Amino acid sequence: MRATFFKAAAAMACAGSLLTHALDAQAQTTAQSAVQTAAPADYPSRSIRLVVPSAAGGGTDIVARLIAQKLSASLGQQVFVDNRPGAGQMIGIDQVAKAAPDGYTLLMAASTLALNPAMYKTVPYDTLRDLAPISEVASLPNVLVVHPSVPANTLPELLALAKAQPGKLTYASAGVGTSPHMSMELLKDLARVDILHVPYKGTGPALVDVVAGQVSMMMGNTLSVLPHIKAGKLRALGVSGTARSAALPDVPTIAESGVARYESVQWYGLLAPAGTPVAIINKLHATTVSALGDADLKKHLAADGAEPVGNSPDAFGALIRVEIAKWKAVAAAAGITPE
């Protein structure tokens, strides 16, 4: 069932080498799919729906509400968050993919957007064909947290406990194929441990049960788990990035704790339905980048361990392409087959 991580690492390296070509390809895709008309002079003339394909309280929801507030102020129209969780975030993503390409329905997507093609045989939308990237908004690591009742204060202690009791410890995730799920499956594969997966419909519900002690642990993003860590309701054992988080400087990376080559970073980004006029995409991009430069927004993101990004539509599209290739390789290495 388990393949070595090195096969996935090699595939990821190949995927990374495609970045330059992906930039060009995404530019062509954007040019072909976008309607070549000017944006209405009064755009936006009414409120904009920002779909979050997960439950309230999760990282995607937190980032969406932060950016929606700033966009509302800049655009002069309300940008309201509409949570549409379910089916590995595919319900909400599909709604945006099939929405009118007029700039009034947008998507705040997480890394799950690139994970779903690796997890499901049938996805109701084509990520690269049906969505137009606007900008990556923020990135942050996941954090492995356990309930205080779990008798482990370090990652090595947790892994030893899992090996001594295979299949008895449980971990929650925001759903099958989400970044927290795949991040944990990567850890299980590299560390050779058996921990039972308990999927939920979003980070919020998963956190509720971990904080309550109904589930042993989870790999959650810093935006979601940091308040519970500070309150002593959860214990942080490791962060998933290549460097320690500024929000949790005393918590080692998972690689530091002995799981060599481990890395899994979560990202969030803004997209529109394919066919949205280029002028509207450009206006939304410029407004988003401006919002991400706001000192107050940066402060809020930094407090939760996230960093603002604000790259171009082409660069964000290239990231999505590379991430799709990467996670397909990781899923294959972990023995996960599309459902």
Side-chain angles (χ1 to χ4, degrees), residues 147-200:
H147 186 265
S149 64
V150 176
N153 293 306
T154 66
L155 180 58
E157 290 178 359
L158 178 67
L159 297 179
L161 183 65
K163 289 178 180 179
Q165 302 176 353
K168 291 188 177 181
L169 293 175
T170 56
Y171 81 91
S173 82
V176 174
T178 59
S179 177
H181 172 217
M182 293 298 284
S183 293
M184 195 67 187
E185 286 300 318
L186 180 58
L187 175 62
K188 286 170 57 179
D189 181 63
L190 291 173
R192 298 293 188 265
V193 293
D194 181 10
I195 303 173
L196 181 65
H197 179 211
V198 183
Y200 288 78

Coordinates of all heavy atoms in Angstrom, one line a residue, residues 147-200:
H147 N -4.7 16.6 20.8 CA -5.5 17.0 22.0 C -4.6 16.7 23.2 O -3.8 15.8 23.2 CB -6.7 16.1 22.1 CG -7.6 16.5 23.3 ND1 -7.6 15.9 24.5 CD2 -8.6 17.4 23.3 CE1 -8.5 16.4 25.3 NE2 -9.1 17.4 24.6
P148 N -4.7 17.6 24.3 CA -3.8 17.4 25.4 C -3.8 16.1 26.1 O -2.9 15.7 26.8 CB -4.3 18.5 26.4 CG -4.9 19.6 25.5 CD -5.5 18.8 24.4
S149 N -4.9 15.3 25.9 CA -5.0 14.0 26.4 C -4.1 12.9 25.8 O -3.8 11.9 26.3 CB -6.4 13.4 26.4 OG -6.8 13.3 25.0
V150 N -3.6 13.3 24.6 CA -2.7 12.4 23.9 C -1.3 12.4 24.6 O -0.7 13.5 24.7 CB -2.5 12.8 22.4 CG1 -1.5 11.9 21.7 CG2 -3.9 12.7 21.7
P151 N -0.8 11.3 25.0 CA 0.5 11.3 25.8 C 1.7 11.4 24.9 O 2.6 10.5 24.9 CB 0.4 9.9 26.5 CG -0.3 9.1 25.6 CD -1.4 10.0 25.0
A152 N 1.8 12.6 24.3 CA 3.0 12.8 23.4 C 3.3 14.3 23.4 O 2.4 15.1 23.1 CB 2.8 12.3 22.0
N153 N 4.5 14.7 23.8 CA 4.9 16.1 23.8 C 5.7 16.5 22.6 O 6.0 17.7 22.4 CB 5.6 16.5 25.1 CG 4.7 16.4 26.3 OD1 3.6 17.0 26.3 ND2 5.1 15.6 27.3
T154 N 6.2 15.5 21.8 CA 7.0 15.8 20.6 C 6.5 14.9 19.5 O 5.8 13.9 19.7 CB 8.5 15.5 20.9 OG1 8.7 14.1 21.2 CG2 9.0 16.3 22.1
L155 N 6.9 15.2 18.3 CA 6.5 14.4 17.2 C 7.1 13.0 17.3 O 6.4 12.0 17.0 CB 6.9 15.1 15.9 CG 6.6 14.3 14.6 CD1 5.1 14.0 14.5 CD2 7.1 15.0 13.3
P156 N 8.4 12.8 17.6 CA 8.9 11.5 17.8 C 8.1 10.6 18.8 O 7.9 9.4 18.6 CB 10.4 11.7 18.3 CG 10.7 13.0 17.7 CD 9.5 13.8 17.8
E157 N 7.7 11.3 19.9 CA 6.9 10.5 20.9 C 5.5 10.1 20.3 O 5.1 9.0 20.5 CB 6.7 11.4 22.1 CG 7.9 11.6 23.0 CD 7.7 12.5 24.2 OE1 6.5 13.0 24.3 OE2 8.6 12.8 24.9
L158 N 4.9 11.0 19.5 CA 3.7 10.7 18.9 C 3.8 9.5 17.9 O 3.0 8.6 17.8 CB 3.1 11.9 18.1 CG 1.8 11.6 17.4 CD1 0.6 11.4 18.4 CD2 1.4 12.8 16.5
L159 N 4.9 9.5 17.1 CA 5.1 8.5 16.1 C 5.4 7.2 16.8 O 4.9 6.1 16.3 CB 6.3 8.9 15.1 CG 6.0 10.1 14.3 CD1 7.2 10.4 13.4 CD2 4.8 10.0 13.4
A160 N 6.1 7.2 17.9 CA 6.4 6.0 18.7 C 5.1 5.4 19.2 O 4.8 4.2 19.2 CB 7.3 6.3 19.8
L161 N 4.2 6.3 19.7 CA 2.9 5.9 20.2 C 2.0 5.2 19.1 O 1.4 4.2 19.3 CB 2.2 7.1 20.8 CG 0.8 6.8 21.4 CD1 1.0 5.9 22.7 CD2 0.2 8.2 21.8
A162 N 2.1 5.9 17.9 CA 1.3 5.3 16.8 C 1.8 4.0 16.3 O 1.0 3.1 16.0 CB 1.4 6.3 15.6
K163 N 3.1 3.8 16.4 CA 3.7 2.5 16.0 C 3.4 1.4 17.0 O 3.2 0.2 16.6 CB 5.2 2.6 15.8 CG 5.6 3.4 14.5 CD 7.1 3.6 14.4 CE 7.4 4.4 13.1 NZ 8.9 4.6 13.0
A164 N 3.3 1.8 18.2 CA 2.9 0.8 19.3 C 1.5 0.5 19.3 O 1.1 -0.6 19.8 CB 3.3 1.4 20.7
Q165 N 0.6 1.4 18.7 CA -0.8 1.1 18.7 C -1.4 1.4 17.3 O -2.1 2.3 17.1 CB -1.5 2.1 19.7 CG -1.1 1.9 21.2 CD -1.7 2.9 22.1 OE1 -2.5 3.8 21.7 NE2 -1.5 2.7 23.4
P166 N -1.0 0.6 16.3 CA -1.4 0.9 14.9 C -2.9 0.9 14.8 O -3.6 0.0 15.3 CB -0.8 -0.3 14.2 CG -0.5 -1.3 15.2 CD -0.2 -0.6 16.4
G167 N -3.4 2.0 14.1 CA -4.8 2.1 13.8 C -5.7 2.6 15.0 O -6.9 2.8 14.8
K168 N -5.1 2.8 16.2 CA -5.9 3.2 17.3 C -6.0 4.7 17.4 O -7.0 5.2 17.9 CB -5.4 2.6 18.6 CG -5.6 1.1 18.7 CD -5.2 0.5 20.0 CE -5.5 -1.0 20.1 NZ -5.1 -1.5 21.4
L169 N -5.0 5.4 17.1 CA -5.0 6.9 17.1 C -5.8 7.3 15.9 O -5.8 6.7 14.8 CB -3.6 7.5 17.1 CG -2.8 7.3 18.3 CD1 -1.4 7.8 18.1 CD2 -3.4 7.9 19.5
T170 N -6.5 8.5 16.0 CA -7.3 9.0 14.9 C -6.9 10.4 14.5 O -6.3 11.2 15.4 CB -8.8 9.0 15.3 OG1 -8.9 9.8 16.5 CG2 -9.3 7.6 15.5
Y171 N -7.1 10.8 13.3 CA -6.8 12.2 12.9 C -8.0 12.7 12.1 O -8.6 12.0 11.3 CB -5.5 12.4 12.2 CG -5.5 12.0 10.7 CD1 -5.8 13.0 9.7 CD2 -5.3 10.7 10.3 CE1 -5.8 12.7 8.4 CE2 -5.2 10.4 8.9 CZ -5.5 11.4 8.0 OH -5.5 11.1 6.6
A172 N -8.4 14.0 12.3 CA -9.4 14.6 11.6 C -8.9 15.4 10.5 O -7.7 15.8 10.5 CB -10.2 15.6 12.6
S173 N -9.7 15.6 9.5 CA -9.3 16.5 8.3 C -10.5 17.3 7.9 O -11.7 17.0 8.3 CB -8.8 15.7 7.2 OG -9.8 15.1 6.4
A174 N -10.3 18.3 7.0 CA -11.4 19.1 6.5 C -12.1 18.4 5.4 O -13.1 18.9 4.8 CB -10.8 20.4 6.0
G175 N -11.8 17.1 5.1 CA -12.4 16.3 4.1 C -11.4 15.6 3.2 O -10.2 15.9 3.2
V176 N -11.9 14.6 2.5 CA -11.0 13.8 1.7 C -10.4 14.6 0.6 O -11.2 15.4 -0.1 CB -11.8 12.6 1.1 CG1 -11.0 11.8 0.1 CG2 -12.3 11.6 2.2
G177 N -9.1 14.6 0.4 CA -8.5 15.3 -0.7 C -8.1 16.7 -0.3 O -7.5 17.4 -1.2
T178 N -8.4 17.2 0.9 CA -8.0 18.5 1.3 C -6.5 18.6 1.7 O -5.9 17.5 1.9 CB -8.9 19.0 2.4 OG1 -8.7 18.1 3.6 CG2 -10.3 19.1 2.1
S179 N -6.0 19.7 1.8 CA -4.6 19.9 2.2 C -4.3 19.2 3.5 O -3.3 18.5 3.6 CB -4.2 21.4 2.2 OG -2.8 21.5 2.6
P180 N -5.1 19.4 4.5 CA -4.8 18.7 5.8 C -4.8 17.2 5.7 O -4.0 16.6 6.3 CB -6.0 19.2 6.7 CG -6.3 20.6 6.2 CD -6.2 20.4 4.7
H181 N -5.7 16.7 4.9 CA -5.7 15.2 4.7 C -4.5 14.8 4.0 O -3.8 13.8 4.5 CB -7.0 14.9 3.8 CG -7.0 13.4 3.4 ND1 -7.4 13.0 2.1 CD2 -6.6 12.3 4.0 CE1 -7.3 11.7 2.0 NE2 -6.8 11.2 3.2
M182 N -4.1 15.4 2.9 CA -2.9 14.9 2.1 C -1.6 15.2 2.9 O -0.7 14.4 2.8 CB -2.9 15.6 0.8 CG -4.0 15.2 -0.2 SD -4.0 13.4 -0.6 CE -2.6 13.4 -1.8
S183 N -1.6 16.3 3.7 CA -0.4 16.6 4.5 C -0.2 15.4 5.5 O 0.9 15.0 5.8 CB -0.6 17.9 5.2 OG -0.6 19.0 4.3
M184 N -1.3 15.0 6.1 CA -1.2 13.9 7.1 C -0.9 12.6 6.4 O -0.1 11.8 6.9 CB -2.5 13.8 7.8 CG -2.4 13.0 9.1 SD -1.3 13.8 10.3 CE -1.3 12.4 11.6
E185 N -1.4 12.3 5.2 CA -1.1 11.1 4.5 C 0.3 11.0 4.1 O 1.0 10.0 4.1 CB -2.0 10.9 3.3 CG -3.5 10.6 3.6 CD -3.6 9.2 4.4 OE1 -2.9 8.3 4.0 OE2 -4.4 9.2 5.3
L186 N 0.9 12.2 3.8 CA 2.3 12.2 3.4 C 3.2 11.9 4.7 O 4.1 11.2 4.6 CB 2.7 13.6 2.9 CG 4.1 13.9 2.5 CD1 4.6 12.9 1.5 CD2 4.3 15.3 2.0
L187 N 2.8 12.4 5.8 CA 3.5 12.1 7.1 C 3.4 10.6 7.4 O 4.4 10.0 7.8 CB 2.9 12.9 8.2 CG 3.5 12.6 9.6 CD1 4.9 12.9 9.7 CD2 2.7 13.4 10.7
K188 N 2.2 10.0 7.3 CA 2.0 8.6 7.5 C 2.9 7.8 6.6 O 3.5 6.8 7.1 CB 0.5 8.2 7.3 CG -0.4 8.7 8.4 CD -1.9 8.5 8.0 CE -2.2 7.0 7.7 NZ -3.6 6.9 7.3
D189 N 3.0 8.2 5.4 CA 3.8 7.4 4.4 C 5.3 7.5 4.8 O 6.0 6.5 4.8 CB 3.6 7.9 3.0 CG 4.4 7.2 2.0 OD1 4.1 5.9 1.8 OD2 5.2 7.8 1.3
L190 N 5.7 8.7 5.0 CA 7.2 8.9 5.3 C 7.6 8.2 6.7 O 8.7 7.7 6.8 CB 7.5 10.4 5.4 CG 7.5 11.1 4.0 CD1 7.7 12.6 4.2 CD2 8.5 10.5 3.1
A191 N 6.7 8.3 7.7 CA 7.0 7.8 9.0 C 6.6 6.4 9.2 O 6.9 5.8 10.2 CB 6.3 8.7 10.1
R192 N 5.9 5.8 8.2 CA 5.4 4.4 8.3 C 4.6 4.2 9.5 O 4.9 3.3 10.3 CB 6.6 3.5 8.3 CG 7.5 3.6 7.0 CD 6.6 3.1 5.8 NE 7.5 2.9 4.6 CZ 7.6 3.9 3.7 NH1 7.0 5.0 3.8 NH2 8.3 3.7 2.6
V193 N 3.5 4.9 9.7 CA 2.6 4.8 10.8 C 1.2 4.6 10.3 O 0.8 5.1 9.2 CB 2.7 6.0 11.8 CG1 4.0 6.0 12.5 CG2 2.4 7.3 11.1
D194 N 0.3 4.0 11.1 CA -1.1 3.7 10.8 C -1.9 4.5 11.7 O -2.1 4.2 12.9 CB -1.4 2.2 10.9 CG -2.8 1.9 10.6 OD1 -3.5 2.8 10.0 OD2 -3.2 0.8 10.8
I195 N -2.5 5.6 11.2 CA -3.4 6.5 12.0 C -4.7 6.6 11.3 O -4.7 6.9 10.1 CB -2.8 7.9 12.3 CG1 -1.4 7.7 13.0 CG2 -3.7 8.8 13.1 CD1 -0.7 9.0 13.1
L196 N -5.8 6.4 11.9 CA -7.1 6.3 11.2 C -7.6 7.7 10.8 O -7.7 8.6 11.7 CB -8.1 5.7 12.2 CG -9.6 5.5 11.6 CD1 -9.6 4.6 10.4 CD2 -10.5 5.0 12.7
H197 N -8.0 7.9 9.6 CA -8.5 9.1 9.1 C -10.0 9.3 9.4 O -10.8 8.4 9.1 CB -8.3 9.2 7.5 CG -8.8 10.4 6.9 ND1 -9.3 10.5 5.6 CD2 -8.9 11.7 7.4 CE1 -9.7 11.7 5.3 NE2 -9.5 12.5 6.3
V198 N -10.4 10.5 9.9 CA -11.8 10.8 10.2 C -12.1 12.1 9.4 O -11.8 13.2 9.9 CB -12.1 11.0 11.7 CG1 -13.6 11.2 11.9 CG2 -11.6 9.8 12.5
P199 N -12.7 12.0 8.2 CA -13.0 13.2 7.4 C -14.2 14.0 7.9 O -15.2 13.4 8.4 CB -13.2 12.6 6.0 CG -13.7 11.3 6.2 CD -13.1 10.8 7.5
Y200 N -14.2 15.3 7.8 CA -15.3 16.2 8.1 C -15.6 17.0 6.9 O -14.8 17.1 5.9 CB -14.9 17.0 9.3 CG -14.9 16.3 10.6 CD1 -13.8 15.5 11.0 CD2 -15.9 16.4 11.5 CE1 -13.7 14.9 12.2 CE2 -15.9 15.7 12.7 CZ -14.8 14.9 13.0 OH -14.7 14.3 14.2

